[in-house]
């Protein structure tokens, strides 16, 4: 029997093949500036007061995508649909005829005035426009994997996302020319609609949930001293989201979101999809849980012993493997990652055809 529309849960995964020559040509045509500009804040665009993140590391592919599909089929067979969001490239091994798979190109849902885009925020802030997407959905970056069996109740309960409301000051990180500004931009938007102390009074259980990690429980206690929001901590893992949250934000902040979506590359003037998660929490439209227990986060480096062990032994329900500037031995690290995933998920999924490992 077909599941009721209001209880369906879809997955959305956004993927880019940074090695695709056609994609590279289009990206370069629209003003790729290079790693030095993004990291050291140099170049003409920085002189004009705008810093963009166009580093190759933002688009580098580790060739682990087939393991994402294996992990979902094994650990979340209940998912209603998987929406695979892509600039246009699709791996040759991907079974486009799979009944649960919908391949969504940017032009299928992002308004034309924002295209082409190389900005993940533009891609993420328009998900509610994907035709057929369910009200409840979980957004995965392509570096987030399910390692153990999970249930729908670990993402949503009674139509509400499970998440963690944790306050944390925005850090003036001089090594990052973009993200600290985005975190502050998110907080500035939220502060226009929510009063911190009033919100704490209205939903104390959202701030003082006994299951929260001690660190963030402590942060929330300390934050009572400050009348204004100083920032938010959002667990970097699969994001449970509601389409009506998107619609509410676009209705209230359409001009801002349109401006963000007009940026071809990630910019310090952007807001991110974390704004949507924090909006849900401040509205009280979520169930508080210790989200840190669900997903372990790792920055890739040249030595990834702990991460590889977590993957092989499936030590966590989910894992996020963040690319970083720390990896110099790319080929070796890529091989080690794939070997670890192959041990964890040796069996092909029904999402794969015989052309595994190839792209077009």
């Amino acid at each position: 029997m077909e599941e009721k529309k209001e209880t369906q849960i879809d997955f959305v995964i956004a993927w880019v093949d940074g090695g695709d020559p056609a994609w590279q040509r289009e990206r370069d045509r629209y003003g790729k500036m290079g790693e030095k500009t993004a990291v050291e804040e140099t170049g003409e665009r920085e002189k004009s007061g705008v810093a963009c993140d166009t580093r190759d590391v933002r688009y580098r592919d580790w060739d682990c995508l087939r393991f994402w599909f294996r992990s979902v089929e094994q650990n979340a067979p209940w998912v209603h649909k998987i929406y695979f969001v892509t600039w246009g490239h699709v791996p040759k091994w991907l079974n486009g005829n799979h009944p649960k798979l919908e391949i969504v190109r940017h032009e299928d849902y992002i308004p034309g005035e924002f295209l082409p885009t190389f900005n993940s925020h533009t891609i993420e802030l328009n998900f509610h426009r994907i035709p057929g997407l369910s009200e409840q959905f979980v957004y995965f970056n392509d570096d987030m994997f399910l390692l153990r069996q999970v249930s729908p109740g670990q993402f949503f309960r009674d139509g509400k996302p499970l998440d963690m409301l944790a306050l944390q000051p925005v850090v003036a990180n001089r090594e990052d020319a973009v993200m600290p500004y985005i975190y502050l931009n998110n907080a500035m938007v939220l502060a226009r609609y929510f009063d911190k102390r009033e919100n704490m009074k209205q939903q104390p259980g959202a701030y003082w949930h006994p299951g929260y990690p001690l660190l963030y429980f402590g942060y929330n206690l300390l934050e009572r001293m400050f009348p204004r929001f100083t920032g938010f901590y959002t667990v970097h893992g699969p994001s449970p989201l509601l389409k009506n949250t998107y619609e509410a934000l676009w209705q209230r902040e359409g001009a801002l979101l349109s401006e963000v979506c007009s940026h071809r590359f990630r910019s310090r003037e952007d807001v991110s999809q974390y704004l949507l998660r924090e909006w849900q929490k401040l509205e009280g439209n979520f169930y508080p849980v210790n989200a840190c227990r669900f997903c372990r986060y790792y920055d890739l480096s040249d030595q990834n012993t702990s991460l590889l062990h977590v993957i092989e032994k499936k030590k966590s329900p989910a894992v996020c493997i963040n690319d970083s500037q720390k990896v110099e031995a790319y080929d070796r690290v890529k091989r080690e990652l794939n070997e670890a995933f192959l041990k964890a998920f040796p069996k092909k999924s029904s999402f794969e055809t015989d052309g595994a490992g190839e792209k077009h």
Side-chain angles (χ1 to χ4, degrees):
M1 182 180 293
E2 177 71 13
E3 192 177 4
K4 290 184 179 180
K5 184 71 174 175
E6 61 269 21
T7 61
Q8 292 171 355
I9 298 176
D10 291 334
F11 287 175
V12 176
I13 177 171
W15 178 75
V16 62
D17 177 10
D20 182 346
W23 177 87
Q24 290 175 347
R25 285 193 296 271
E26 185 165 61
R27 177 196 62 178
D28 293 350
R29 188 160 59 244
Y30 282 89
K32 178 180 180 296
M33 295 187 299
E35 185 171 340
K36 188 176 183 181
T37 304
V39 177
E40 298 180 14
E41 301 189 29
T42 61
E44 290 304 314
R45 195 171 298 192
E46 175 57 23
K47 290 176 184 177
S48 68
V50 180
C52 295
D53 190 348
T54 61
R55 294 168 295 162
D56 288 337
V57 73
R58 295 226 56 81
Y59 312 108
R60 186 161 56 179
D61 184 26
W62 294 90
D63 203 23
C64 295
L65 183 64
R66 65 189 184 277
F67 297 115
W68 186 87
F69 281 95
R70 292 181 190 186
S71 73
V72 168
E73 182 164 85
Q74 180 173 316
N75 294 320
W78 45 263
V79 67
H80 175 248
K81 288 279 188 180
I82 295 171
Y83 289 85
F84 181 75
V85 177
T86 169
W87 170 84
H89 30 232
V90 179
K92 284 186 177 180
W93 54 261
L94 189 60
N95 177 11
N97 296 317
H98 195 288
K100 284 193 173 185
L101 180 64
E102 298 288 342
I103 295 173
V104 183
R105 290 168 172 80
H106 293 172
E107 61 266 26
D108 294 335
Y109 77 102
I110 298 175
E113 63 264 32
F114 305 141
L115 294 175
T117 187
F118 311 93
N119 185 350
S120 62
H121 299 140
T122 305
I123 295 166
E124 295 164 346
L125 291 172
N126 289 281
F127 281 155
H128 65 300
R129 307 183 199 275
I130 295 176
L133 182 67
S134 63
E135 170 62 26
Q136 303 173 91
F137 68 96
V138 184
Y139 169 47
F140 291 78
N141 295 139
D142 64 359
D143 60 2
M144 299 171 184
F145 300 84
L146 298 176
L147 299 181
R148 295 180 185 171
Q149 285 208 348
V150 296
S151 69
Q154 289 176 273
F155 297 103
F156 294 93
R157 184 185 305 165
D158 300 328
K160 294 183 179 182
L162 273 65
D163 217 325
M164 186 172 81
L165 178 46
L167 303 179
Q168 178 175 279
V170 174
V171 177
N173 180 4
R174 294 181 60 194
E175 296 178 1
D176 192 327
V178 175
M179 288 310 300
Y181 294 88
I182 293 172
Y183 295 141
L184 182 58
N185 295 342
N186 288 346
M188 290 292 287
V189 173
L190 294 165
R192 288 202 285 270
Y193 297 94
F194 301 97
D195 178 271
K196 179 181 177 182
R197 286 181 171 166
E198 273 302 310
N199 200 260
M200 285 182 162
K201 290 177 184 177
Q202 289 169 358
Q203 50 169 354
Y207 289 88
W208 323 121
H209 181 65
Y212 282 173
L214 186 59
L215 173 65
Y216 293 104
F217 195 94
Y219 269 143
N220 286 358
L221 284 171
L222 288 172
E223 284 282 348
R224 292 186 306 170
M225 299 172 59
F226 306 101
R228 301 180 188 275
F229 290 115
T230 63
F232 300 85
Y233 172 73
T234 312
V235 173
H236 195 58
S239 295
L241 292 161
L242 298 168
K243 280 171 59 174
N244 63 31
T245 305
Y246 277 75
E247 291 157 1
L249 259 296
W250 273 94
Q251 182 178 7
R252 290 168 174 80
E253 292 289 339
L256 170 65
L257 297 181
S258 292
E259 175 62 27
V260 170
C261 291
S262 72
H263 302 155
R264 300 288 181 194
F265 299 93
R266 180 180 285 195
S267 163
R268 65 163 55 167
E269 296 178 343
D270 288 359
V271 294
S272 73
Q273 59 102 355
Y274 287 168
L275 171 61
L276 294 147
R277 285 179 66 177
E278 299 305 333
W279 181 279
Q280 291 173 164
K281 301 175 202 176
L282 293 177
E283 266 195 326
N285 193 22
F286 84 112
Y287 278 98
V289 295
N290 182 349
C292 293
R293 287 180 180 164
F294 182 79
C295 185
R296 295 195 192 183
Y297 175 90
Y298 291 88
D299 276 323
L300 278 176
S301 67
D302 283 339
Q303 299 298 327
N304 302 285
T305 305
S306 178
L307 166 61
L308 299 174
H309 177 72
V310 166
I311 295 171
E312 290 178 19
K313 302 300 181 182
K314 302 181 180 180
K315 302 292 284 185
S316 174
V319 66
C320 177
I321 308 167
N322 187 52
D323 201 345
S324 69
Q325 304 169 49
K326 303 172 186 175
V327 178
E328 296 181 3
Y330 170 74
D331 291 332
R332 175 177 59 79
V333 172
K334 178 180 175 181
R335 184 182 68 254
E336 291 172 348
L337 265 181
N338 277 266
E339 288 172 352
F341 274 119
L342 189 58
K343 290 179 182 177
F345 302 103
K347 184 180 177 182
K348 275 189 178 183
S349 73
S350 60
F351 294 94
E352 296 173 71
T353 61
D354 291 336
E358 301 174 5
K359 307 186 187 89
H360 69 97

